[in-house]
Amino acid sequence: MTPEQLQQKLAALDARLTAVEDERAVRNVLARYMKLCDQPCRDRDFPQLGDLFAADAVWEGIGALYTETFGRQDGRAAIVAFLGNYLAPRSTHFKMNAHFLTADAVTVNGDAAHGQWVMLQASTYEDDRSELIGARLTIDFRKQGPSWQMSHFRTQRLFSMPWNPATANLAGAFNAGDTNHKGDA
């Protein structure tokens, strides 16, 4: 292998490593966002919500229901104010809110990235109603210096259904240490 070929190979490996690191960083931005939206959330370590969005970011609901419910928020300050209407300590909207992400696909192209996820949200509201919501998240990201930020966040409801957390508790389904579970093959 010539020195030039070695340099080319090292440059290609460096580019691949950077792409993997950038994909991971993008996923971490969304994971941090979800953690801050989970309620109750006592984690106030930085970065906070505003740090996760570009200054000119857009956050919007897609589809008839989410367009009407959430509308479109333009700019970091508007997004943070809008989300703050749902989150403690400014709001008691949620007694409990937990987000689960799956089926992700992330592509990175230089300082821009695009991702899509399916999200399951389990929520109990201040009026004690509970529901499960499935939504598709489509998010564009932009690299700002060493950090990635969301530049366009879109959420579209796929389904919702009532959920009763009291009947969903499986903690007592099996006794600890019981090795003779009925139904085991």
Side-chain angles (χ1 to χ4, degrees):
M1 181 177 290
T2 68
E4 293 79 22
Q5 290 172 323
L6 180 59
Q7 286 292 74
Q8 290 173 346
K9 192 164 200 96
L10 288 174
L13 285 173
D14 185 55
R16 289 173 63 192
L17 178 60
T18 298
V20 169
E21 289 173 339
D22 285 342
E23 282 184 28
R24 182 180 175 132
V26 163
R27 286 183 176 93
N28 286 343
V29 168
L30 184 59
R32 178 68 180 154
Y33 170 83
M34 291 299 164
K35 185 174 183 179
L36 290 170
C37 289
D38 288 347
Q39 297 294 304
C41 177
R42 290 169 183 74
D43 179 3
R44 297 298 171 217
D45 291 336
F46 285 91
Q48 293 301 328
L49 279 172
D51 299 323
L52 302 176
F53 289 93
D56 61 347
V58 173
W59 192 107
E60 66 180 317
I62 302 295
L65 179 63
Y66 274 12
T67 297
E68 182 179 328
T69 303
F70 299 132
R72 178 182 166 114
Q73 313 305 316
D74 290 293
R76 178 187 296 140
I79 293 167
V80 171
F82 169 75
L83 294 172
N85 290 327
Y86 292 95
L87 304 175
R90 285 186 16 207
S91 173
T92 58
H93 179 74
F94 292 112
K95 280 187 174 180
M96 187 282 303
N97 197 33
H99 298 85
F100 305 90
L101 299 172
T102 188
D104 70 329
V106 176
T107 57
V108 175
N109 187 5
D111 287 345
H114 177 81
Q116 193 170 71
W117 290 261
V118 173
M119 176 191 73
L120 177 65
Q121 178 178 340
S123 301
T124 299
Y125 302 100
E126 62 186 338
D127 64 4
D128 288 326
R129 287 178 308 110
S130 296
E131 71 178 332
L132 295 175
I133 299 169
R136 181 171 320 286
L137 305 179
T138 305
I139 307 171
D140 296 324
F141 299 81
R142 191 174 1 176
K143 196 169 191 177
Q144 304 286 332
S147 301
W148 285 91
Q149 294 178 316
M150 291 182 271
S151 58
H152 195 169
F153 184 104
R154 295 169 295 281
T155 180
Q156 181 178 14
R157 183 181 282 207
L158 301 174
F159 69 86
S160 71
M161 59 188 280
W163 172 55
N164 183 346
T167 61
N169 183 357
L170 300 177
F174 298 108
N175 294 325
D178 181 2
T179 58
N180 297 314
H181 301 297
K182 291 184 173 132
D184 285 353

